[in-house]
Amino acid sequence: MMKLYYSPGTCSLAPHIVLREAGVPHQLIRVDLRRHQLADGADYYAVNPKGSVPAIEIGEGVLLTEGVAVLQYLADQHAPALAPANGTLGRARLHEILNYVSSDYAKAYTPLFYLADGASRADAERPVIAKLGYLDRLLADGRAFILGPQFSVADAYLFAVTRWAIDFGIGFEAVPALKAYMARVAARAPVQQALLAEGLAAHGA
């Protein structure tokens, strides 16, 4: 059985959703990222020297890290319907959005996670609001999901990171297409199951 090392509401929510979308049996192992410890007090660095999540144990002694790699591995091995075929433009588009979420988009939240006393909250929110606007424009063409009509691993990742805006109290009133998208993804049964298992609010917007 696969083991997913996760911390509630982080990027590790994305592979958690994909595991449930694919119906893959798995064990969830919660990580305290502040102490880098497991629930039994074990040192997480002994499992993953990077100290980050997600990490997934796919076999005895075989660990895969980095969300983009984990998501594509799960799709290729267990849920081919959740990723375009290798060697196609669709797969390149998948790489495009996964890398955008991993780099530009996720990093836009950094000032909010580490907001210093006296720092401007408005200034910290500005990069996130700009990214939300970009995503809203992508979705405004009527597509159901970020790559088109089919749910993919990119949606699991985008949903997981966009939930951070909710956590920071950033509303979606100015981004109606993105708001509708988040509700659409949140309504999927595997997404609801993953949120419930992590103790997160089962809503998208």
Side-chain angles (χ1 to χ4, degrees), residues 105-183:
Y105 185 41
K107 289 180 180 177
Y109 288 88
T110 300
L112 287 168
F113 280 111
Y114 301 101
L115 191 65
D117 290 341
S120 169
R121 174 64 180 254
D123 287 346
E125 288 180 352
R126 194 168 292 114
V128 173
I129 291 171
K131 305 297 184 188
L132 296 179
Y134 168 70
L135 293 167
D136 187 68
R137 291 190 294 275
L138 285 183
L139 292 160
D141 63 2
R143 68 182 76 178
F145 299 105
I146 196 62
L147 295 180
Q150 301 297 323
F151 181 88
S152 72
V153 295
D155 295 295
Y157 199 7
L158 181 57
F159 176 81
V161 175
T162 303
R163 287 191 80 262
W164 298 348
I166 301 169
D167 293 340
F168 286 115
I170 299 174
F172 290 165
E173 291 77 13
V175 285
L178 180 60
K179 180 176 182 178
Y181 164 84
M182 289 294 288

Side-chain angles (χ1 to χ4, degrees), residues 41-54:
D43 182 7
Y44 181 53
Y45 282 118
V47 175
N48 178 11
K50 297 176 182 177
S52 59
V53 294

Side-chain angles (χ1 to χ4, degrees), residues 78-95:
H78 301 283
L82 297 185
N86 280 301
T88 64
L89 177 60
R91 189 60 171 236
R93 292 298 187 196
L94 176 67
H95 284 297

Side-chain angles (χ1 to χ4, degrees), residues 21-125:
E21 287 275 352
V24 177
H26 58 278
Q27 178 184 358
L28 292 174
I29 301 178
R30 184 166 177 162
V31 179
D32 181 336
L33 289 177
R34 291 184 180 276
R35 297 180 175 84
H36 293 95
Q37 288 182 345
L38 305 183
D40 62 1
D43 182 7
Y44 181 53
Y45 282 118
V47 175
N48 178 11
K50 297 176 182 177
S52 59
V53 294
I56 192 164
E57 188 175 313
I58 58 178
E60 190 64 35
V62 180
L63 191 77
L64 183 63
T65 65
E66 302 301 327
V68 171
V70 171
L71 289 170
Q72 292 187 84
Y73 173 83
L74 290 175
D76 288 338
Q77 297 297 317
H78 301 283
L82 297 185
N86 280 301
T88 64
L89 177 60
R91 189 60 171 236
R93 292 298 187 196
L94 176 67
H95 284 297
E96 183 178 37
I97 192 65
L98 287 176
N99 282 300
Y100 175 75
V101 174
S102 176
S103 56
D104 286 12
Y105 185 41
K107 289 180 180 177
Y109 288 88
T110 300
L112 287 168
F113 280 111
Y114 301 101
L115 191 65
D117 290 341
S120 169
R121 174 64 180 254
D123 287 346
E125 288 180 352

